[in-house]
Amino acid sequence: MILFQDLANEAQVGEVISEEKTLSVIDLILSGGTGSIVIISVLFAMLAVALYIYFERLLAIKAASTIDKNFMNQIRDHVMNGKLEAAKILCAQTDSPVARLTEKGVSRIGKPLDDINAAIENAGTLEVYKLEKNVNILATVAGAAPMIGFLGTVIGMILAFHQMASSGGQAEMGALASGIYTAMTTTVAGLVVGIIAYVGYNHLVNRTDKVIHKMEANAVEFLDLLNEPV
């Protein structure tokens, strides 16, 4: 009987300890005071913006990289047969940077190759600008989020030591440790947001570079087509 009572008491103590150690993320944020709540709210807003830009640009880049493999073969046939209007219609019906660059080159056929090349390069610059739209915001978030998180930690540390100074050095260590522990959550939040934004930025840059390479390859192929003997 005594053994069962001891086991029951240990179970109750274990539950109490478990309840004391359990702390939800929301409770951790709310217990950090107004400064912590404001800073973490700003970080969550930055995370939402970063995720929106990442997925919006990812879909746009994916659409830009999709093109029919027979597109340039059809353009070659139209140009070699002198069907420039048919080539322009095909480019207009194909929604991709490669098609728009090719259309710019087709519209310049008959002019010097230098003029055609310059027109394609100018159009390519505009297409690259469209692909990279708002991507720099991800880089800004990746750099700013950790610093904002560290700012929250520094503010929390200042408040903790201010409490110690105000109490004449008699402040309870539990209160100081709790304040410092909560202040560190801003650092964690800032690092998480920064890492997500950094990874997303580099992934978009990599995908964009592939599209740019495809644009350059098709531009060279088109110029080589114009240099072929009739």
Side-chain angles (χ1 to χ4, degrees):
M1 186 66 178
I2 295 175
L3 179 60
F4 286 117
Q5 289 179 349
D6 291 339
L7 293 175
N9 292 333
E10 290 179 0
Q12 291 178 355
V13 172
E15 291 178 359
V16 171
I17 294 174
S18 178
E19 290 177 359
E20 290 178 351
K21 290 184 178 179
T22 301
L23 183 62
S24 67
V25 176
I26 297 177
D27 292 337
L28 187 62
I29 295 173
L30 295 178
S31 63
T34 305
S36 177
I37 295 174
V38 170
I39 290 176
I40 293 182
S41 298
V42 171
L43 290 173
F44 273 124
M46 294 173 67
L47 177 61
V49 171
L51 290 176
Y52 171 79
I53 292 175
Y54 171 75
F55 286 108
E56 187 272 333
R57 285 293 86 198
L58 184 63
L59 293 176
I61 294 172
K62 183 178 181 181
S65 62
T66 303
I67 189 171
D68 187 1
K69 295 181 179 180
N70 294 322
F71 174 77
M72 289 305 299
N73 292 331
Q74 294 175 348
I75 292 294
R76 177 187 298 273
D77 293 338
H78 290 322
V79 171
M80 296 300 292
N81 294 325
K83 300 178 180 179
L84 299 183
E85 287 300 323
K88 293 179 181 179
I89 292 174
L90 177 61
C91 292
Q93 292 176 345
T94 306
D95 185 16
S96 71
V98 171
R100 286 188 284 272
L101 263 62
T102 305
E103 182 180 11
K104 186 67 66 173
V106 171
S107 63
R108 295 294 192 278
I109 290 180
K111 296 183 179 181
L113 286 178
D114 290 340
D115 293 344
I116 299 176
N117 188 28
I120 293 177
E121 288 182 354
N122 293 333
T125 301
L126 295 177
E127 294 297 331
V128 171
Y129 175 78
K130 293 178 182 179
L131 291 174
E132 295 178 344
K133 180 182 178 182
N134 294 329
V135 175
N136 59 334
I137 296 179
L138 282 179
T140 302
V141 172
M147 291 190 290
I148 293 175
F150 289 137
L151 175 63
T153 300
V154 172
I155 292 175
M157 297 288 288
I158 291 173
L159 294 177
F161 284 108
H162 176 72
Q163 182 179 356
M164 181 183 294
S166 300
S167 61
Q170 301 299 321
E172 295 182 1
M173 293 304 297
L176 294 176
S178 177
I180 296 173
Y181 177 73
T182 305
M184 293 298 290
T185 58
T186 59
T187 299
V188 174
L191 289 174
V192 170
V193 174
I195 291 171
I196 293 174
Y198 180 76
V199 172
Y201 171 78
N202 281 280
H203 183 239
L204 291 181
V205 169
N206 184 46
R207 293 291 298 270
T208 302
D209 288 341
K210 290 182 179 180
V211 176
I212 294 174
H213 176 72
K214 184 179 293 187
M215 291 166 53
E216 292 175 346
N218 281 272
V220 171
E221 184 177 353
F222 178 77
L223 292 174
D224 290 341
L225 169 62
L226 299 182
N227 285 322
E228 291 181 1
V230 180

